[in-house]
Amino acid sequence: MYEIKVTSENDTINVAYMLGKHLFPGSIITLEGELGVGKTTFTKGIAQALNIKQVINSPTFTIIKEYDGNLPLYHMDAYRIDDDNEDLGFEEYFYGNGICVIEWPQRIRSQIPQERLEINFYLIDNDIRLLVFKPYGKQYEKICEDLQYEKIID
């Protein structure tokens, strides 16, 4: 488990940008935390690392938004999904050549691949968030070790 405190929207974007530089085709990133804690802002940083020029916003009403960059970005929001077993075709995204960023992953936990990078967002106060990185799988452990070496996370 790795942690970092961010104190602004720019900090959040910068951490995500640095993470985005280490992602690979088929990467799965899950973002958990309350509404308004910075999950979509984090996704913007990953998008910047992938050279995506489109505006990134929450896919709450569409469930999945696709963006083109150096690698495709599949931004998913499972907030409105009621049935974890509902077949919405996520597998084609999870096992494709893009990067999957999933907000509210707890709603579809049984469908998400075991190997992934889970990031939990905790609101410390109005300006400070604690991001907790939990890698599942050797590729994600290596990413976290690299980010730690680069002094991005503790």
Side-chain angles (χ1 to χ4, degrees):
M1 192 163 46
Y2 305 83
E3 299 180 350
I4 187 168
K5 285 184 182 173
V6 293
T7 59
S8 69
E9 191 171 303
N10 282 341
D11 284 354
T12 302
I13 289 172
N14 289 336
V15 169
Y17 179 87
M18 296 305 292
L19 169 64
K21 291 294 188 183
H22 291 274
L23 298 178
F24 53 89
S27 292
I28 307 287
I29 309 299
T30 64
L31 307 178
E32 295 188 43
E34 296 302 316
L35 285 170
V37 79
K39 297 181 298 292
T40 300
T41 298
F42 194 88
T43 304
K44 290 177 183 180
I46 291 174
Q48 286 179 8
L50 298 174
N51 290 314
I52 293 171
K53 304 301 181 203
Q54 298 149 286
V55 174
I56 306 296
N57 50 36
S58 178
T60 300
F61 296 102
T62 57
I63 301 177
I64 301 172
K65 287 191 175 179
E66 299 181 25
Y67 301 96
D68 294 319
N70 295 345
L71 292 171
L73 174 63
Y74 308 122
H75 186 196
M76 304 175 179
D77 187 327
Y79 184 75
R80 297 196 180 281
I81 297 174
D82 293 326
D83 183 2
D84 187 21
N85 295 316
E86 188 175 347
D87 184 10
L88 296 170
F90 291 131
E91 297 80 22
E92 67 185 77
Y93 295 100
F94 294 155
Y95 300 103
N97 291 322
I99 308 295
C100 290
V101 175
I102 309 160
E103 296 186 32
W104 301 98
Q106 61 272 29
R107 306 260 185 171
I108 58 168
R109 181 79 63 213
S110 69
Q111 297 182 45
I112 298 173
Q114 286 185 325
E115 292 200 8
R116 66 188 182 279
L117 178 58
E118 185 176 287
I119 304 172
N120 290 282
F121 291 66
Y122 299 97
L123 182 62
I124 305 299
D125 71 23
N126 288 339
D127 297 322
I128 301 173
R129 274 109 169 110
L130 177 66
L131 308 182
V132 178
F133 291 64
K134 295 179 188 174
Y136 294 91
K138 291 195 182 302
Q139 289 179 298
Y140 299 102
E141 289 172 13
K142 171 120 176 48
I143 288 171
C144 287
E145 288 169 7
D146 290 346
L147 292 174
Q148 190 176 35
Y149 177 76
E150 295 169 14
K151 309 231 183 294
I152 306 301
I153 58 177
D154 297 323

